[in-house]
Amino acid sequence: MKLSFFVGLAAMASASQNVNLESLRSRRVQESRHDKLSTIYSGTIQSSYGVTFLLQNTADSSIILTGLGLNVETTGEEVPCRVQVHTRPTGGEYALALDTSSVTCVGSGEETIVTDEMFLRYYEQTGNRELLERYEEERDLQGASYPLVIGPGSSMEVYVVVLPAEGDTSGIQPILLSSQGSIEGALYTSDSMVNFYEGSSIEGGYLVDALANGEGSDIVPSEIKPNIYNGAIYYDNLPDSLSVDNYYKNLAYSLQPGSSSLGYLGCDSELGTGYLDSIGSYGVMFDVTSLVAQDSGGEAPMASYAEIYGMDLYIRNTVETAFEVYVRSNGGNEFTSYYEQSGQTSINENWELVAKGTVMGAGPDVGTPIPSEAWLTNIILKPGDSVGFYVTVLDEPHLRYRKSDLAEGAIFAEDGNLGIGVGRSWGQYPLSGDGSDTFFPNREFSGSFRYHAHEAICQTSTPTIAAKTSAPVATPEGLCSGGEKLKTTFQDGTGSYGALFDVVGKVAEVTLRGIDLNIDWNNSDKADVVVFARKGTWFGYQNDKDAWSHILVNTTIFRPADFPNRDETRFISTEHKMTSAIIPDWAFKPLTIKQGETWALYVLSSVPDLRYTTGTSIGQIFASSNEIDVLEGAGAADYPAFGSGLEESTHFGNVEYTFYAPRVFNGQLRYSYFAECPSEAPSVSFTPTPAPILTTSVSYMFYVEHGPEIVASIVPDDMENGVRAVLDSFLADANNDLNELVLNDGFFISSISAGVVPPAELGYLCVPTPPNLCTPISVLVEGSHFPSAPTEQVAYYLYRQANILPSLIDVNGYQIVYIGKNAVETTNEITLSGVPNREMGQDEQKFFAEALQQFLSSQVSADPTDEDALKIVSVTVNGQVIDTSSTVARVGGQRRLEASTTINVKVKGQYKPPPVIDFGAIVEDSINADPGRMERELKSPSPELQGTIGGSSIPNDYFQQADVIGSKEIKTPTAVIIKDTRNPMQGTLNMMAGVVGSMILVLSAAFFLRPHRRAAIFRSKSNNQDAQLHTQLVHPDLFHDEKQGYRDQYGDQFHDNAY
């Protein structure tokens, strides 16, 4: 990754800068601003009177020279030099294009830079405007003659001379160096636009009279050919739409430090993270990444660059604050992520200063801009580049930021062009660099970046919204503005254009500051988003335009660059859903909700890709935090709102709008509130991991017997907390499978939620001991992890803990029995004959395992859509034994002497009882009952198997003559069963099973077994239409209210969940 810099004029002019550093920065300037074509810097020929070379423009548009690199001998010292550049078109006369004494010659073997600024100043100070006028007149003619422009298909000779600078008293004579060429006029190097030809070293005098060859008129310079110019040219494309004068005006504008960008065609943008803070100290480190897709064809064009030229910090106190901003460097032209641990806190050695100064903090809820004169360096990001930022204050810990729920490195704010990642904070200034500095992980920078999106990418970012300038809100003495997020769900299931829901305030004051939506980008890559608000409920006002007096959001968003391509996959992960439509804080007008107030939000998208979920009852609390509740609401099937607001009709523009209820808004609210200021606790150790990619969900089913004094509605909370406590202990237990997932696959529990479910979902009837009650509970556990752990494997390990959970959940007065899915495994030996007399290779083992899994899956489950049926999770080959002279008996009784191989495999599965199964026997019998089918799967893999493993991974010879002799379960010693001696209900259930055994034949369908268990464990569920969920089709102003009954009679109108 390469990151280049633009150095501001103020920094370049500073006399205090070290010359070597200035030369390095000048080179970065030229390389990042312009295209560069280099030769070599190893020449030893002293060209005292200059060097010539020929350039040919091979492009379809003009180019303009805007910088040079030279190889100059200075006897080992850096000296000021005078450089003249003369040019002439083929067959024309030389014209002076540059004469400057501002060059610093740095010595042989290194690049002496003649910068674009020097060309600009010469253009501004000389009479070249006369040449310019002539050039503009002749631009469309073959004879166009502006001295630095090469027309399409044209050639130009360049003559470069180096002299002592005017007024230099060092006595050092700088000499231009060149190299011996190969063939006169030969092409030496080229790129996609320019051919660079060998030229001449000039001896005995100058080629032009303007350089004063002396008093004698008989001086005739000689040209030593062939010769290679040592150095480089820098150039830009000059389209017909851009005049030379405007080109230089843009260049002049870009040289103003920090005030703007280069002026390359494009648009200015701003990426903000918002001004929420939950903590603060001295400094924060994080990455800024270009999200623009990289071109696999080579170097990315400048049109796809993004150029950062300014920042806002969050300094909540109105005090004068000194600050510094750095970017991470490896000591050369390469720049890298802040996260590189080695040398991370050695600021002077591994970081470059890009801004430094003093500002007055602007106060709460607004950014404090870095002044243009303090911004020293513009930062160019090419597609795919990442650069580490270190933002710090010097004297007091006034820099504000916030804690994050995401891992370090995860992008939490982006606009399609740039992304800002979660980083870490530091509790002191300066950093010592000796390893003793204390950091705090998982911190989000609060502030914004101003940048210029070049032409090719300026249409893909969210349009810039003017910075908020409202007066700061006074913070009560001794309190800080806490920041929180409340997520409803991202499970979707249905959707359309909009969603309506209520938010209730629970503390003194909450201010909504941002919102995230769930958009699946199925119809468009662009969406206009509007969010209306009103004080009070939305119910009854969904069509009343005048009732919605607040507009919180009115912006355009775009499909994130990393969002899955809907043409390629229908599956969208929860992570992608959560980041599909993040409305930036700066695009959200804050809304304050007082304690006890209800405010309604009406979220609308211009495309019908907004997702929501079918609810249970309008007005029921769906998501809750200590500060706010979010209630179930409705979905809107039309856009725009209120029938476009047409005034000619009192019935909303003669548009009959449709709403669907109950519906659950999918998304997340970001908000702040007043709370006691927290304090940082030092981090003892931390190993950051990238943001998880996959999410695995399992559902634990329990019966909880409890006393009548315990209200059933509090049981889910108790079970949620109990399950979380037990699983957390498993994650930390080195002897538990889940701990292995933590260490190897970055696994963590992302959410746990519990609820009461109908007994029919459990398949059992609970008969409690009077006067106790039984409450059926489902606990949904979501875990996030890297793709290195398949979701089936993670689910298996989670279900493997299920039976032990009741004995470890410690809740007073609860007797708990687990009745959900179980994880099962068995070890079997499968004997084959007719295979080569060798062990399988890695690819062959993988193929055999996949083939066996495919075979067993087809054997044990008649309905693969039945979530409760037995499912083969994985097959692993443990080993292989080859017997070259054994007597093998094929299934059916026939015996023969034949070499055989026995493959030891472990098979894992999961299922939901009843009945209890013998998994080992099922695997053994499945193979022995139909060995021919297993053979066919090995010899001619089914399309399903080929699609699973890919055609290139299928062994062509090992299994072609294979016979499946049979399978045998390997019995293991009986495992120790952990029995919950505190749970008398287990005994009760066992006794009841015996007492009511005779009733099973009659009542199993109603109480003990679900319908699809009556015939066999693997049969599909019955298609009971009466049991299917229906959704009401709700007309304007007609909603079902749980408390007041129906406002109107709907009859039998139901909707089929299309929305």
Side-chain angles (χ1 to χ4, degrees), residues 888-960:
V888 298
R890 188 183 174 100
V891 176
Q894 181 182 1
R895 287 182 174 272
R896 63 180 183 271
L897 187 65
E898 186 177 341
S900 67
T901 183
T902 300
I903 303 170
N904 184 286
V905 297
K906 176 174 286 188
V907 184
K908 296 179 180 179
Q910 63 189 41
Y911 81 108
K912 186 175 186 297
V916 176
I917 65 172
D918 185 340
F919 186 53
I922 288 177
V923 171
E924 178 180 313
D925 293 343
S926 296
I927 297 173
N928 291 338
D930 196 357
R933 182 171 179 180
M934 180 65 191
E935 291 172 5
R936 291 192 296 274
E937 196 70 51
L938 293 172
K939 297 175 182 179
S940 301
S942 64
E944 293 82 1
L945 179 58
Q946 294 185 41
T948 300
I949 66 175
S952 62
S953 301
I954 299 175
N956 293 320
D957 55 354
Y958 191 91
F959 299 103
Q960 287 307 305

Side-chain angles (χ1 to χ4, degrees), residues 636-779:
D638 300 281
Y639 178 89
F642 320 119
S644 302
L646 301 178
E647 297 181 358
E648 60 267 26
S649 170
T650 57
H651 192 64
F652 321 116
N654 289 320
V655 179
E656 185 171 339
Y657 273 23
T658 302
F659 298 86
Y660 299 87
R663 293 293 185 268
V664 177
F665 164 71
N666 276 207
Q668 183 169 252
L669 295 176
R670 302 190 297 277
Y671 60 90
S672 63
Y673 61 93
F674 292 131
E676 183 179 351
C677 293
S679 59
E680 288 275 27
S683 173
V684 178
S685 62
F686 176 72
T687 304
T689 57
I693 297 175
L694 300 181
T695 299
T696 298
S697 301
V698 300
S699 182
Y700 293 135
M701 299 288 191
F702 303 90
Y703 263 125
V704 180
E705 182 176 344
H706 54 86
E709 72 279 2
I710 299 176
V711 181
S713 60
I714 71 170
V715 176
D717 287 341
D718 290 340
M719 290 298 294
E720 180 177 320
N721 294 331
V723 170
R724 178 175 288 278
V726 175
L727 290 181
D728 284 347
S729 69
F730 289 165
L731 296 179
D733 182 2
N735 296 316
N736 193 285
D737 293 331
L738 295 181
N739 179 259
E740 187 175 318
L741 290 177
V742 172
L743 298 178
N744 298 332
D745 308 291
F747 177 79
F748 67 95
I749 303 296
S750 51
S751 70
I752 296 181
S753 58
V756 179
V757 295
E761 280 195 28
L762 275 62
Y764 289 90
L765 177 66
C766 177
V767 182
T769 303
N772 288 349
L773 304 175
C774 262
T775 300
I777 296 292
S778 171
V779 181

Side-chain angles (χ1 to χ4, degrees), residues 1029-1042:
L1029 293 177
H1030 294 277
T1031 303
Q1032 298 164 283
L1033 172 62
V1034 186
H1035 294 284
D1037 297 316
L1038 302 179
F1039 284 89
H1040 179 248
D1041 189 321
E1042 290 292 310

Side-chain angles (χ1 to χ4, degrees), residues 338-658:
Y338 84 94
Y339 184 62
E340 178 64 35
Q341 301 296 305
S342 176
Q344 184 183 66
T345 56
S346 300
I347 304 302
N348 291 335
E349 292 80 9
N350 297 304
W351 295 76
E352 292 262 0
L353 182 69
V354 297
K356 180 177 182 178
T358 302
V359 292
M360 177 63 70
D365 303 323
V366 294
T368 299
I370 291 179
S372 60
E373 62 271 16
W375 187 265
L376 306 177
T377 301
N378 285 9
I379 303 165
I380 293 292
L381 278 82
K382 298 178 182 179
D385 280 356
S386 289
V387 60
F389 273 81
Y390 172 40
V391 181
T392 186
V393 294
L394 278 56
D395 304 318
E396 297 290 339
H398 292 310
L399 186 69
R400 304 299 296 178
Y401 45 88
R402 56 185 177 265
K403 299 177 181 178
S404 179
D405 296 330
L406 302 176
E408 279 195 59
I411 291 177
F412 71 95
E414 56 94 10
D415 63 0
N417 287 335
L418 299 182
I420 301 176
V422 176
R424 59 179 54 177
S425 65
W426 300 90
Q428 68 275 347
Y429 176 89
L431 299 180
S432 66
D434 61 3
S436 63
D437 302 299
T438 300
F439 72 87
F440 306 94
N442 307 90
R443 296 296 185 261
E444 295 178 2
F445 167 72
S446 295
S448 66
F449 285 88
R450 292 182 295 282
Y451 71 96
H452 187 73
H454 286 193
E455 183 178 15
I457 64 172
C458 72
Q459 299 302 320
T460 62
S461 61
T462 302
T464 302
I465 297 178
K468 182 174 61 177
T469 56
S470 57
V473 178
T475 302
E477 185 176 354
L479 297 181
C480 292
S481 321
E484 284 291 344
K485 302 173 184 178
L486 178 59
K487 180 181 74 172
T488 57
T489 181
F490 284 86
Q491 293 180 347
D492 54 57
T494 184
S496 188
Y497 286 99
L500 304 92
F501 59 96
D502 290 343
V503 181
V504 179
K506 298 166 66 176
V507 295
E509 183 175 294
V510 173
T511 301
L512 300 185
R513 299 192 179 278
I515 190 171
D516 303 339
L517 314 178
N518 183 4
I519 292 182
D520 66 6
W521 301 108
N522 196 42
N523 291 283
S524 174
D525 290 340
K526 173 184 176 183
D528 298 327
V529 175
V530 182
V531 179
F532 299 94
R534 71 176 304 273
K535 188 175 183 180
T537 182
W538 61 270
F539 187 82
Y541 299 93
Q542 60 273 12
N543 282 314
D544 186 354
K545 180 177 184 292
D546 294 333
W548 301 85
S549 55
H550 299 262
I551 298 179
L552 307 184
V553 174
N554 186 7
T555 190
T556 302
I557 61 174
F558 297 84
R559 174 181 173 271
D562 63 344
F563 194 83
N565 188 333
R566 299 309 304 274
D567 293 333
E568 298 175 359
T569 179
R570 301 299 301 173
F571 173 75
I572 307 298
S573 68
T574 300
E575 182 192 22
H576 281 119
K577 292 178 184 179
M578 292 181 66
T579 57
S580 64
I582 298 175
I583 305 299
D585 291 350
W586 46 261
F588 189 99
K589 183 179 180 181
L591 175 69
T592 298
I593 303 176
K594 301 292 185 181
Q595 187 170 16
E597 288 182 350
T598 296
W599 280 79
L601 300 187
Y602 187 173
V603 180
L604 275 167
S605 162
S606 60
V607 292
D609 295 338
L610 185 77
R611 308 297 292 167
Y612 44 73
T613 302
T614 301
T616 57
S617 178
I618 296 172
Q620 178 170 300
I621 296 174
F622 185 86
S624 182
S625 69
N626 292 331
E627 296 78 36
I628 58 174
D629 289 333
V630 176
L631 313 185
E632 295 186 16
D638 300 281
Y639 178 89
F642 320 119
S644 302
L646 301 178
E647 297 181 358
E648 60 267 26
S649 170
T650 57
H651 192 64
F652 321 116
N654 289 320
V655 179
E656 185 171 339
Y657 273 23
T658 302

Side-chain angles (χ1 to χ4, degrees), residues 55 281 283 343 376 407 561 679 842 864 902 988 1020 1055:
L55 300 176
S281 191
L376 306 177
S679 59
Q842 185 174 355
T902 300
T988 302
S1020 61
H1055 190 263

